[in-house]
Amino acid sequence: MSRFWSQVVRDLTPYVPGEQPKITNLIKLNTNENPYPPSPRVLTAIQAELGNDAAQLRLYPDPNADLLKNTIAKLHDITAQQVFVGNGSDEVLAHVFMALLKHDAPILFPDITYSFYPVYCGLYNVAHQTIPLDDDFTIKPKDYCDRPNGGIIFPNPNAPTGRLLPLAAIEQILQGNPDSVVVVDEAYVDFGGETAIGLVNRYDNLLVVHTLSKSRSLAGLRVGFAVGHPDLIEALERVKNSFNSYPLDRLAIVGAIAAIEDEAHFETTRQAVIASRTQLTENLRTLGFKVLPSAANFIFVQHPQSEASTLANKLRERNIIVRHFKSPRIDQFLRITVGTDAECTALVEALRDILH
Ligand SMILES: *Cc1c(COP(=O)(O)O)cnc(C)c1O
């Protein structure tokens, strides 16, 4: 704290990201990164961008990243006017709060959800109301209908639970809220859900947010996007152009395009993660864990006889890191990212050892 701090900064409670340790030899299952490398085409594209004419970096990138928007539009069978791109989906989400969720009525999101949402509310002074998940940790659509609100946001699959809401339930929320923007954060949808992007032509109040950080293995490149009615996209462009005209650098633009175009790599790695998730779930249930059904690249688990924080600490002593949230309702759970099969095996062996 210093007398130079603005009042806004004094009042902020910033998001605390999962740890990115500087030491190597760790089995890192704490921030839902993909255990597989990105498509080799990403590196080729980035090298070409650098190598063709190194002087390219002298020039600003395309402020609208049109080539990337066209690639995303083609992938999802929509128009480029329905696409907004940003420096990671966290940046896209920040603009969403400012552009589309800041109104007089409070916005709604689940009590257990991505912990960045309340942080954006603090930054942009957006009133919010949390809606408790059901006892089985699912979102109940009717809880989001017939309740005046300034907008609705939730991840699907939800984080950190991994639980999936079917598209029919999302439509119920959309139909119950024709005068609010409904934001579906699909960071994990490629690991087991069906995207709501197919609904954007029918619902002008739907905005779907995606990231290349998880299913495209590009957390380090920082690329995210939103899809919705062109009027919603225009609102995001207005905020972006009042904040940073060039959120995506030249390397990120070409790398993202290459990743999206390599459908085969995407499919292979996605299926590998899904298969490992099934196996890991089974192995942890054998050890007595309760594992919530997950449609994401992580699982949310609880052991009836063991304190979650103790388990996390003991795993850490064995160089395995997982995520533990000290929050109400979920402080006895661990969120574990699905790693490679070797990493999952090491985790299961360590837990077997700890529990005995
Ligand atoms: C990982 C994650 C994001 C952020 O992804 P970036 O594109 O890396 O900023 C957004 N929403 C949820 C729910 C996430 O888990």
Side-chain angles (χ1 to χ4, degrees):
M1 176 85 81
S2 130
R3 70 185 192 283
F4 301 116
W5 288 17
S6 66
Q7 194 57 50
V8 178
V9 167
R10 283 165 201 257
D11 294 342
L12 288 180
T13 312
Y15 177 72
V16 182
E19 199 191 346
Q20 296 294 342
K22 302 286 186 291
I23 41 174
T24 47
N25 290 332
L26 272 185
I27 296 185
K28 193 174 173 306
L29 306 176
N30 68 329
T31 52
N32 299 342
E33 286 130 330
N34 200 301
Y36 302 107
S39 159
R41 292 201 211 168
V42 172
L43 206 62
T44 308
I46 289 176
Q47 278 163 344
E49 181 73 13
L50 282 170
N52 250 351
D53 170 5
Q56 287 293 308
L57 285 185
R58 180 177 63 81
L59 302 172
Y60 282 108
D62 174 3
N64 296 314
D66 282 332
L67 289 177
L68 175 56
K69 285 186 181 175
N70 291 340
T71 305
I72 293 166
K74 192 162 156 238
L75 176 74
H76 290 292
D77 201 17
I78 46 174
T79 68
Q81 290 67 46
Q82 292 171 295
V83 182
F84 176 78
V85 294
N87 191 254
S89 63
D90 285 338
E91 184 187 82
V92 174
L93 289 167
H95 293 343
V96 168
F97 275 73
M98 169 66 109
L100 300 167
L101 297 179
K102 187 171 163 58
H103 301 289
D104 290 336
I107 65 163
L108 310 179
F109 51 79
D111 61 338
I112 297 165
T113 195
Y114 188 33
S115 48
F116 223 136
Y117 300 158
V119 175
Y120 295 128
C121 287
L123 178 61
Y124 292 122
N125 199 15
V126 176
H128 69 278
Q129 184 185 349
T130 57
I131 309 289
L133 293 179
D134 216 22
D135 288 342
D136 62 0
F137 289 110
T138 52
I139 290 170
K140 286 279 160 289
K142 66 168 174 38
D143 294 346
Y144 293 80
C145 300
D146 304 320
R147 197 188 290 260
N149 64 75
I152 294 171
I153 184 167
F154 54 87
N156 194 41
N158 195 9
T161 65
R163 298 224 60 171
L164 181 75
L165 202 57
L167 281 191
I170 290 177
E171 285 207 67
Q172 208 182 321
I173 295 174
L174 286 162
Q175 286 166 3
N177 293 277
D179 298 320
S180 301
V181 173
V182 177
V183 183
V184 185
D185 179 353
E186 293 190 335
Y188 302 103
V189 77
D190 295 328
F191 298 108
E194 193 185 346
T195 178
I197 288 179
L199 299 176
V200 293
N201 287 331
R202 283 200 283 134
Y203 296 95
D204 65 358
N205 59 331
L206 170 63
L207 190 81
V208 183
V209 179
H210 274 219
T211 176
L212 273 68
S213 297
K214 317 281 169 46
S215 59
R216 302 277 174 176
S217 307
L218 285 175
L221 203 63
R222 314 303 305 130
V223 182
F225 61 90
V227 175
H229 189 281
D231 291 349
L232 301 186
I233 300 305
E234 188 186 343
L236 297 173
E237 297 289 358
R238 288 172 69 100
V239 172
K240 171 247 176 194
N241 287 318
S242 308
F243 180 82
N244 176 4
S245 308
Y246 309 100
L248 290 188
D249 63 61
R250 287 177 171 275
L251 308 183
I253 291 171
V254 297
I257 292 171
I260 292 170
E261 287 179 345
D262 194 346
E263 300 247 5
H265 180 89
F266 169 69
E267 202 49 36
T268 313
T269 50
R270 169 175 104 88
Q271 293 302 342
V273 168
I274 293 170
S276 303
R277 179 182 69 213
T278 306
Q279 187 64 53
L280 179 61
T281 300
E282 209 172 289
N283 292 343
L284 291 184
R285 283 186 177 146
T286 305
L287 290 182
F289 282 92
K290 285 188 182 147
V291 184
L292 293 190
S294 170
N297 69 335
F298 58 83
I299 52 174
F300 205 46
V301 311
Q302 179 186 24
H303 197 281
Q305 281 93 39
S306 309
E307 224 8 71
S309 60
T310 311
L311 286 178
N313 290 337
K314 290 191 172 173
L315 282 171
R316 208 198 154 97
E317 288 165 12
R318 289 166 171 78
N319 283 341
I320 299 176
I321 48 177
V322 299
R323 193 95 194 252
H324 174 242
F325 298 93
K326 292 187 191 68
S327 317
R329 289 187 79 186
I330 57 167
D331 62 341
Q332 284 311 315
F333 282 83
L334 295 176
R335 193 196 66 192
I336 304 175
T337 305
V338 177
T340 60
D341 281 339
E343 290 172 328
C344 291
T345 303
L347 169 80
V348 172
E349 288 316 310
L351 284 170
R352 194 193 312 280
D353 195 41
I354 291 165
L355 291 168
H356 286 156

